[in-house]
């Protein structure tokens, strides 16, 4: 009967009337939340939280005003308190004090909004365990938040925080604290009272020091202090006995911290200013499996590295290491050894390219030779007082005449390499003013040539006869241009031209389609043609830092093969 009654009361003008605005929160969601205790309003474009959300457990639902049969399954009076409120990815600019009307909340997710402040009423949510506030515009944190005794996780990354209240130390049950990507210059010492803390992220701030109190956090397993301005790490951090992962990359550290943490497995300390690895520091890393020290200023590797018996991955890329201790090959678990970007002597580039296994095998061979007393002479001294290592020539196919300050390379050096299929030549750090003509004798095998740190003012077209070349290093000379014939070097992958006198991007390089790396930093290059760079489909690394570029061509972003570009003195990642 109700069916017909409803049909007889149809409003014939309904289609001509302006419809009422739809509720910001569908009633069905509120109805379901009363049963489940979960209300998910993420990504709904909300600019404010509707009042009926705050009053969800206070006001009677609409069903209570209707004649409802007690036989139905919709038992509105059996509602549960709201425990999880998800409001992420909206446009909220403020949160009302009425949030206190939801005292049973255990999870409050407000990340990815426009909040610039928080109500003090948050402190009344004493059941709260997770408070997610990342990706907002918060410049401060109300002290009332620090009274949430049951809080386990507090995430505040990507805000505008300049300080953290001293009262934060009162969050005794907190296990996760994320303060990354803010504007923090210091931390309160009370952080050391967060005794339950297991994970703390402080990366991408402006911290120049860490409070000594951090060392009291005996349960912390992960500490991320990367991308700050730290010059040192307090010795008190030795008290973090549960620490397993330590991130310190992109700071201003000059030495590794001495942390006798028995559980420490992973240490990331790349992109700092570490020059020296000390035995005391390394002896503390008895359980480390991953050690990342790339992009520092390390010159020498101590023999104590061989004591890191659990080490599986060692990254020493882009340092100033010239020699490797053969004892590295004794590390029983080492699977990955990264050394790219070091001025290594005595090791062919091809050997490095083959991977860690072959390199360690070579180093083990060196140990064996030393143990056997090197059955014959491995070097001979020439009348010109040059030193030619015959072991390198015969075994590694490498010809070296380095740091002699010589104006030319003696014929005896080339004579010693006769009939040896030399693949690598290093004549760096001399006073050469011209391309050594006898290099052409090696044209059938030579793939790597280093003439850096000389006095070359022009690059001879003769170099173009070395058709097997894959790598050319001409850094720190006086070059202003390259011969056009270089475009015929069809196997060239890398060319290093830093610290010369180029005023423009060398024309020949635009035509070498095999190029993967071009290093032109510290010249006077005034411009680059992105449209022509786009033709270099293999180019992944481009260094134009510290040149005379007035602007960065936006078209450079269209060079999809580029993974790293140094422009205007700083690295930009091209996505």
């Amino acid at each position: 009967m109700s069916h017909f009654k409803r049909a007889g009361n149809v409003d014939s003008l309904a289609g001509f009337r302006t419809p009422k605005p739809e509720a910001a929160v569908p009633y069905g969601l509120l109805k379901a939340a009363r049963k489940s205790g979960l209300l998910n309003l993420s990504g709904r474009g909300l600019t404010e939280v509707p009042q009926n959300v705050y009053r969800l457990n206070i006001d009677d639902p609409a069903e209570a005003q209707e004649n409802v049969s007690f036989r139905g399954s919709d038992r509105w009076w059996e509602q549960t308190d709201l425990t999880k409120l998800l409001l992420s990815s909206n446009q909220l600019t403020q949160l009302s004090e009425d949030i206190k009307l939801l005292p049973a909340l255990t999870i409050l997710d407000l990340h990815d909004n426009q909040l610039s402040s928080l109500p003090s009423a948050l402190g009344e949510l004493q059941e709260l365990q997770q408070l997610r506030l990342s990706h907002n515009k918060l410049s401060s944190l109300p002290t009332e938040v620090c009274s949430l005794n049951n809080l386990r996780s507090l995430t505040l990354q990507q805000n505008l925080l300049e300080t953290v209240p001293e009262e934060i130390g009162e969050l005794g049950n907190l296990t996760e604290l994320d303060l990354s990507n803010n504007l923090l210059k210091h931390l309160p010492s009370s952080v050391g009272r967060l005794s339950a803390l297991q994970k703390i992220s402080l990366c991408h701030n402006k911290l120049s020091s860490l409070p000594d109190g951090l060392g009291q956090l005996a349960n912390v397993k992960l500490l991320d202090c990367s991308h700050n301005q730290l010059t040192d790490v307090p010795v008190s951090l030795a008290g973090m006995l549960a620490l397993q992962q330590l991130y310190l990359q992109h700071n201003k550290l000059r030495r590794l911290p001495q942390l006798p943490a028995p559980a420490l497995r992973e240490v990331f300390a790349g992109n700092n200013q570490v020059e020296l690895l000390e035995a005391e520091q390394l002896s503390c890393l008895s359980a480390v499996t991953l050690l990342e020290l790339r992009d520092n200023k390390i010159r020498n590797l101590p023999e104590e590295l061989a004591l890191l018996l659990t080490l599986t991955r060692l990254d020493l890329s882009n340092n100033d290491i010239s020699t490797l201790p053969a004892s590295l090959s004794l590390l029983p678990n080492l699977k990955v050894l990264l050394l790219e970007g070091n001025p290594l002597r005595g090791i062919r580039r091809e050997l490095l390219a083959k991977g860690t296994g072959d390199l360690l095998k070579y180093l083990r061979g060196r140990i064996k030779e030393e143990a056997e007393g090197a059955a014959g002479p491995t070097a001979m001294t020439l009348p010109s007082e040059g030193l030619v290592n015959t072991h390198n020539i015969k075994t590694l196919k490498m010809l070296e005449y380095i740091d002699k300050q010589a104006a030319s390379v003696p014929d005896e050096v080339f004579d010693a390499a006769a009939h040896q299929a030399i693949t690598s030549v290093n004549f760096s750090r001399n006073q050469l003013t011209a391309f050594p003509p006898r290099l052409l004798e090696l044209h059938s095998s030579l793939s790597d040539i280093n003439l850096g740190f000389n006095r070359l003012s022009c690059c001879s077209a003769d170099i173009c006869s070395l058709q097997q070349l894959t790598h050319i290093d001409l850094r720190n000379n006086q070059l202003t241009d390259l011969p056009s014939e270089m475009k015929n070097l069809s196997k060239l992958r890398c060319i290093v031209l830093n610290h010369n006198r180029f005023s423009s991007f060398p024309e020949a390089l635009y035509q070498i389609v095999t190029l993967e790396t071009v290093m032109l930093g510290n010249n006077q290059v005034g411009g680059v043609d992105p449209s022509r760079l786009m033709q270099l489909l293999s180019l992944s690394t481009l260094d134009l830092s510290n040149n005379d570029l007035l602007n960065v061509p936006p078209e450079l972003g269209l060079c999809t093969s580029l993974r790293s570009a140094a422009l205007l003195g700083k690295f930009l990642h091209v996505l």
Side-chain angles (χ1 to χ4, degrees):
M1 185 173 184
S2 60
H3 170 74
F4 291 103
K5 184 178 179 182
R6 194 158 42 245
N9 290 336
V10 172
D11 186 353
S12 60
L13 298 177
F16 299 94
R17 293 199 175 113
T18 303
K20 294 180 181 179
E22 192 174 313
V25 180
Y27 181 73
L29 276 181
L30 297 177
K31 184 178 177 181
R34 287 192 180 95
K35 293 183 178 181
S36 66
L38 165 65
L39 180 56
N40 186 351
L41 298 176
S42 301
R44 289 185 170 271
L46 299 177
T47 56
E48 61 180 9
V49 180
Q51 195 64 25
N52 56 357
V53 171
Y54 293 124
R55 302 186 63 83
L56 185 67
N57 295 137
I58 297 177
D59 295 342
D60 289 333
E63 295 97 311
Q65 312 301 322
E66 301 175 358
N67 293 323
V68 180
S69 170
F70 284 85
R71 290 174 297 175
S73 59
D74 194 8
R75 304 165 69 88
W76 59 264
W77 56 88
E78 293 182 351
Q79 67 176 1
T80 185
D81 287 335
L82 192 67
T83 58
K84 301 178 181 66
L85 179 56
L86 312 181
L87 291 162
S88 63
S89 301
N90 282 292
Q91 300 295 320
L92 301 178
T93 57
Q94 62 178 356
L95 191 67
S96 169
E97 295 282 346
D98 287 338
I99 191 69
K100 65 186 177 184
L101 301 178
L102 298 169
L105 283 179
T106 60
I107 297 176
L108 178 57
D109 188 351
L110 292 160
H111 86 266
D112 191 20
N113 277 285
Q114 303 292 320
L115 298 172
S116 57
S117 62
L118 296 171
S120 58
L122 276 179
E124 299 187 34
L125 306 181
Q126 285 299 306
E127 299 301 315
L128 205 59
Q129 297 180 19
Q130 295 183 28
L131 181 55
R132 304 170 187 167
L133 296 165
S134 63
H135 295 267
N136 277 284
K137 297 181 179 180
L138 299 172
S139 57
S140 63
L141 187 67
T143 56
E144 288 81 4
V145 169
C146 301
S147 67
L148 299 173
N149 295 325
N150 286 304
L151 199 62
R152 303 289 194 274
S153 174
L154 177 58
T155 52
L156 285 155
Q157 67 267 35
Q158 290 283 355
N159 276 284
L160 303 172
L161 297 176
E162 295 186 6
T163 59
V164 175
E166 186 73 29
E167 291 82 358
I168 198 169
E170 298 172 11
L171 297 173
N173 287 310
L174 200 66
T175 59
E176 177 187 13
L177 176 61
D178 194 337
L179 293 166
S180 60
N181 291 91
N182 278 283
L183 305 172
L184 299 174
K185 293 184 178 179
H186 62 85
L187 289 177
S189 58
S190 62
V191 169
R193 300 206 302 271
L194 300 175
S195 57
L197 208 58
Q198 296 182 18
K199 179 181 178 181
I200 179 169
S201 181
L202 305 168
C203 64
H204 290 276
N205 277 285
K206 298 182 178 181
L207 299 171
S208 57
S209 63
L210 297 174
D212 286 335
L214 275 182
Q216 301 172 36
L217 303 179
N219 292 308
V220 166
K221 297 178 181 179
L222 185 151
L223 174 60
D224 189 349
C225 297
S226 60
H227 292 270
N228 276 283
Q229 300 172 15
L230 300 175
T231 56
D232 202 359
V233 174
V235 294
S236 63
L237 260 61
M240 303 179 79
L241 299 180
L243 193 62
Q244 296 179 8
Q245 295 173 291
L246 178 60
Y247 296 83
L248 293 168
Q249 62 264 53
H250 290 274
N251 277 285
K252 299 179 180 179
L253 300 176
R254 294 190 174 277
R255 59 195 301 271
L256 275 183
Q258 191 167 333
L259 299 178
L264 191 58
R265 299 286 187 273
E266 299 179 2
V267 177
F268 296 84
N271 294 90
N272 278 283
Q273 299 172 18
V274 177
E275 296 183 0
L276 182 65
L277 294 181
E278 301 173 24
E280 295 80 5
Q281 301 158 350
L282 295 174
S283 63
C284 296
L285 305 177
S286 58
V288 74
T289 60
L290 187 157
L291 183 57
E292 192 252 72
L293 295 167
R294 64 175 299 125
D295 292 281
N296 276 284
K297 300 179 179 179
I298 300 168
R299 294 180 177 275
N300 299 301
L301 299 179
E303 294 289 340
E304 286 78 9
L305 266 177
L307 300 177
L308 307 183
L309 302 181
T310 56
L311 195 63
T312 62
R313 182 182 178 93
L314 176 60
D315 189 348
L316 294 164
S317 307
N318 300 326
N319 277 279
D320 295 325
I321 300 166
S322 57
T323 59
L324 290 180
S327 56
L328 273 180
S329 64
L330 302 178
L331 291 171
N333 294 299
L334 190 62
K335 300 294 187 295
V336 179
L337 176 59
L338 302 177
L339 293 161
E340 189 67 31
N342 282 284
L344 290 169
R345 299 178 182 178
I347 297 180
R348 286 180 296 157
R349 188 170 302 276
E350 287 79 9
L351 182 58
L352 291 176
K354 286 182 178 180
T356 303
D358 283 6
L359 178 58
L360 295 180
K361 183 178 180 181
Y362 160 71
L363 292 176
R364 282 192 290 270
R366 266 182 27 191
I367 292 179
K368 184 178 180 180
E369 285 183 4
E370 292 169 4
E372 293 174 351
T378 60
M380 63 178 183
T381 303
L382 303 174
S384 59
E385 296 185 354
L387 191 67
V388 174
N389 190 317
T390 56
H391 170 78
N392 284 354
I393 291 175
K394 294 179 180 179
T395 306
L396 302 177
K397 305 304 179 184
M398 173 185 290
L399 181 61
E400 292 182 327
Y401 190 70
I402 306 170
D403 205 9
K404 307 297 183 186
Q405 302 304 312
S408 61
V409 180
D411 285 336
E412 293 90 338
V413 172
F414 289 100
D415 293 343
H419 313 297
Q420 290 297 327
I422 296 296
T423 61
S424 179
V425 164
N426 190 344
F427 292 162
S428 63
R429 301 184 185 277
N430 282 290
Q431 298 290 323
L432 305 180
T433 58
F435 182 84
R438 288 193 64 180
L439 278 174
L440 298 182
E441 298 173 12
L442 311 175
H443 69 92
S444 61
S445 58
L446 188 60
S447 62
D448 187 329
I449 184 170
N450 185 348
L451 295 174
F453 295 92
N454 277 286
R455 299 177 60 188
L456 301 174
S457 58
C458 67
C459 182
S460 170
D462 288 347
I463 198 172
C464 307
S465 300
L466 304 174
Q467 289 290 305
Q468 304 304 315
L469 281 181
T470 62
H471 185 279
I472 299 175
D473 191 338
L474 294 169
R475 75 183 78 185
N476 291 76
N477 276 283
Q478 301 168 19
L479 301 173
T480 59
D481 201 2
L482 296 177
S484 60
E485 292 85 353
M486 281 190 73
K487 65 184 180 183
N488 298 319
L489 293 177
S490 58
K491 296 183 179 181
L492 189 64
R493 298 199 307 265
C494 175
I495 186 164
V496 182
L497 299 167
N498 302 71
H499 292 280
N500 275 282
R501 299 178 181 179
F502 292 94
S503 59
S504 61
F505 193 91
E507 178 69 22
L509 298 188
Y510 284 124
Q511 303 176 65
I512 306 177
V513 295
T514 54
L515 277 175
E516 299 172 4
T517 300
V518 174
M519 310 295 284
L520 256 171
N522 293 280
N523 280 278
Q524 294 95 43
V525 176
V528 62
D529 187 344
S531 64
R532 301 187 69 187
L533 280 181
M534 288 172 63
Q535 307 303 314
L536 303 181
L537 301 180
S538 299
L539 188 64
S540 60
T541 301
L542 174 64
D543 180 4
L544 285 170
S545 59
N546 299 314
N547 274 280
D548 293 341
L549 296 172
L550 297 179
N551 54 60
V552 179
E555 297 87 354
L556 204 56
L558 300 176
C559 298
T560 55
S561 62
L562 271 182
R563 292 293 174 266
S564 181
L567 307 168
L568 304 178
K570 62 181 181 181
F571 273 93
L572 306 173
H573 288 287
V574 183
L575 302 178

